[in-house]
Amino acid sequence: MSVIPISELNDRARDVFRLVVENYLGTGLPVGSRTISKMASLSLSPASIRNVMQDLEELGLLAAPHTSAGRMPTETGLRLFVDGMMQAAEPSAEEQRAIEAGIAESGPIEEALSAATATLSGLSACAGIVMVPKREPVLRQFGFVPLNARQALAVLVGQDGSVENRVLDLPEGVSPVALNEAANFMSARFGGLTLREAGEALTREMEAERTVLDHTARALIARGLAIWSHDADDRPVLIVRGQSHLLDDGVAADLERARQLLEQLEGKQEILDLLRGALAGSATKIFIGSENKLFSLSGSSVIAAPYRGADGRVVGVVGVIGPTRLNYARVIPMVDFTAQTLSRLMR
């Protein structure tokens, strides 16, 4: 989309354009010349304002949704406003505390990311999204709790304090003593290793026949490592929270648009492809409406900011999906602050 430079607008056109956009983003309704003329900051007659609005419409910055005198910004106009005119407002102290508190109360990193997404969704009234970094947890302790003769609860404790449980089918003839022996062996030999490293270590020991475990215990350990390794490969790498915020009065009135938007959110792989574009940069990215093919039909905007790991490299993206008329001046800094908070958490 080609956007004219802001310098090509004279002062009067800039003032009228800014007021139209700000009013539209606040109400979601087309803005008329009489509304603009009543503002103390502008000393122009309704007729003069109508002429300016007509000029802005011819430039492709405003559009009239119907035959009334009201105007609303086009996607080109919104891009010009966001890039060249918007006065961003930092999150309030209360909003900052809410974001930090939601993240700090969580345990494992996935829970912190989920909490950050839910908090961001609630504060912005948009759907919150976060790309979870693929990682290999470092192991600390294993345990097996018998459930019945053929099943046990396999417990994995990570170095970061995370605890994961899986129901494991047992080889025939496994006793509680064998379960305890296998758990002690795994904790002693594999503590401090990732799942991949633990699997490789077990394979080496079995091939060299250095392990003192019997066949049943070895099978149990192999199953325990396999179930966690399989789950790690299949972990969801995208968390979406607050989809209901997208079904506001404006969207709900257009059922087809609402259906398309929810279908797009279900296609998580496509959203991931979009967010990966934000991984390459260091700044917050804003996609408005048809600038992004994924949300062109539903007329949605995406604001996404990268966050960093302990080594300073970008490891994920956090952001929101909302209507094109969202409050950019408030939401963009909020997304950026959430990304900064997550980066501090990852250190």
Side-chain angles (χ1 to χ4, degrees):
M1 157 186 325
S2 176
V3 181
I4 68 170
I6 191 68
S7 58
E8 291 191 10
L9 299 180
N10 58 36
D11 290 343
R12 185 166 64 172
R14 278 199 295 268
D15 289 341
V16 171
F17 176 68
R18 177 179 56 80
L19 291 172
V20 170
V21 175
E22 290 177 346
N23 273 265
Y24 171 75
L25 295 181
T27 65
L29 300 173
V31 182
S33 56
R34 289 189 177 278
T35 300
I36 301 299
S37 67
K38 294 176 182 177
M39 297 181 179
S41 61
L42 206 61
S43 56
L44 292 174
S45 68
S48 297
I49 294 172
R50 279 195 296 273
N51 290 334
V52 174
M53 293 171 75
Q54 180 63 39
D55 293 339
L56 292 169
E57 186 173 354
E58 291 175 0
L59 289 172
L61 300 178
L62 298 182
H66 41 74
T67 56
S68 72
R71 299 292 195 282
M72 56 190 288
T74 62
E75 291 179 1
T76 302
L78 286 174
R79 172 53 65 186
L80 178 66
F81 175 79
V82 169
D83 289 348
M85 303 183 70
M86 181 183 70
Q87 298 293 318
E90 289 297 314
S92 67
E94 183 179 356
E95 290 169 340
Q96 293 184 27
R97 284 194 296 270
I99 293 170
E100 291 172 335
I103 295 174
E105 289 177 0
S106 304
I109 186 61
E110 284 83 0
E111 292 184 14
L113 293 171
S114 181
T117 309
T119 302
L120 185 57
S121 170
L123 292 174
S124 66
C126 297
I129 50 176
V130 65
M131 180 188 291
V132 179
K134 277 190 172 293
R135 66 186 185 94
E136 289 193 274
V138 177
L139 314 175
R140 185 173 75 189
Q141 188 175 358
F142 294 85
F144 293 104
V145 180
L147 297 176
N148 53 54
R150 297 306 304 269
Q151 289 184 317
L153 189 66
V155 183
L156 180 152
V157 181
Q159 293 280 30
D160 61 356
S162 59
V163 179
E164 297 191 29
N165 303 314
R166 300 289 186 276
V167 175
L168 180 67
D169 293 329
L170 299 175
E172 189 173 353
V174 175
S175 67
V177 174
L179 286 174
N180 189 57
E181 180 184 8
N184 290 338
F185 176 88
M186 294 172 75
S187 297
R189 296 292 181 91
F190 303 147
L193 303 180
T194 64
L195 282 169
R196 178 180 54 80
E197 292 168 341
E200 292 172 352
L202 178 62
T203 300
R204 288 195 300 269
E205 291 211 7
M206 287 183 174
E207 289 176 348
E209 297 185 349
R210 289 198 301 266
T211 178
V212 297
L213 297 171
D214 60 24
H215 174 76
T216 300
R218 289 199 299 270
L220 178 62
I221 293 171
R223 289 192 187 192
L225 290 178
I227 192 172
W228 276 303
S229 298
H230 180 271
D231 282 3
D233 290 339
D234 289 345
R235 286 176 189 272
V237 291
L238 181 71
I239 298 172
V240 182
R241 294 287 183 271
Q243 292 97 318
S244 60
H245 286 303
L246 299 174
L247 298 179
D248 61 10
D249 293 339
V251 176
D254 185 344
L255 295 180
E256 179 61 19
R257 178 183 162 200
R259 182 188 64 80
Q260 290 168 344
L261 182 54
L262 292 177
E263 284 183 356
Q264 289 160 347
L265 285 177
E266 288 299 316
K268 290 187 176 182
Q269 185 57 50
E270 293 174 320
I271 299 177
L272 282 171
D273 292 340
L274 167 66
L275 295 183
R276 287 191 181 100
L279 282 172
S282 58
T284 301
K285 291 185 179 293
I286 303 101
F287 304 92
I288 299 175
S290 60
E291 290 180 354
N292 166 55
K293 292 181 180 179
L294 177 60
F295 293 109
S296 60
L297 294 178
S298 61
S300 303
S301 289
V302 178
I303 300 172
Y307 61 92
R308 301 175 183 275
D311 57 2
R313 292 186 301 173
V314 173
V315 295
V317 177
V318 64
V320 298
I321 301 172
T324 54
R325 62 173 181 80
L326 60 80
N327 188 338
Y328 295 92
R330 176 173 174 265
V331 177
I332 291 173
M334 192 179 294
V335 170
D336 188 56
F337 180 79
T338 303
Q340 294 174 23
T341 304
L342 286 175
S343 295
R344 292 194 295 270
L345 172 74
M346 304 288 284
R347 291 173 188 163

